[in-house]
Amino acid sequence: MGKAMSKSELIIESLSKVQCSKNEDECLDHMTEMLWKIAKGTRYQSDVEVAFDVLQGFRDRKANGKRY
């Protein structure tokens, strides 16, 4: 088993995924993943969880043919 990646390495890995995104949704997924890795274990973690919920709400509305 390899060495666990540092927080910085995890963020850089997520940034690399953002750069390789094929569409807007994939880009948003990778950006929120990166944001989660940055905020995890900090006092901002709950704020990121709320942001995830808001993003999912927008996606649900879009899937149901509703405007934001």
Side-chain angles (χ1 to χ4, degrees), residues 25-53:
D25 283 336
E26 194 173 288
C27 182
L28 282 172
D29 288 342
H30 294 312
M31 289 176 68
T32 51
E33 175 187 323
M34 183 171 56
L35 181 58
W36 174 253
K37 289 175 182 177
I38 292 169
K40 188 175 180 183
T42 71
R43 63 184 177 155
Y44 302 106
Q45 182 172 329
S46 61
D47 296 326
V48 174
E49 291 169 349
V50 170
F52 285 147
D53 292 343

Side-chain angles (χ1 to χ4, degrees), residues 3-66:
K3 179 181 116 179
M5 291 173 47
S6 70
K7 191 172 202 172
S8 296
E9 290 170 323
L10 291 170
I11 294 166
I12 292 167
E13 178 187 53
S14 294
L15 181 58
S16 178
K17 290 178 183 177
V18 170
Q19 295 172 350
C20 298
S21 298
K22 294 178 176 66
N23 56 52
E24 182 180 0
D25 283 336
E26 194 173 288
C27 182
L28 282 172
D29 288 342
H30 294 312
M31 289 176 68
T32 51
E33 175 187 323
M34 183 171 56
L35 181 58
W36 174 253
K37 289 175 182 177
I38 292 169
K40 188 175 180 183
T42 71
R43 63 184 177 155
Y44 302 106
Q45 182 172 329
S46 61
D47 296 326
V48 174
E49 291 169 349
V50 170
F52 285 147
D53 292 343
V54 170
L55 180 58
Q56 187 58 49
F58 283 136
R59 288 179 171 168
D60 292 346
R61 290 181 62 82
K62 185 177 180 182
N64 291 325
K66 297 179 182 175

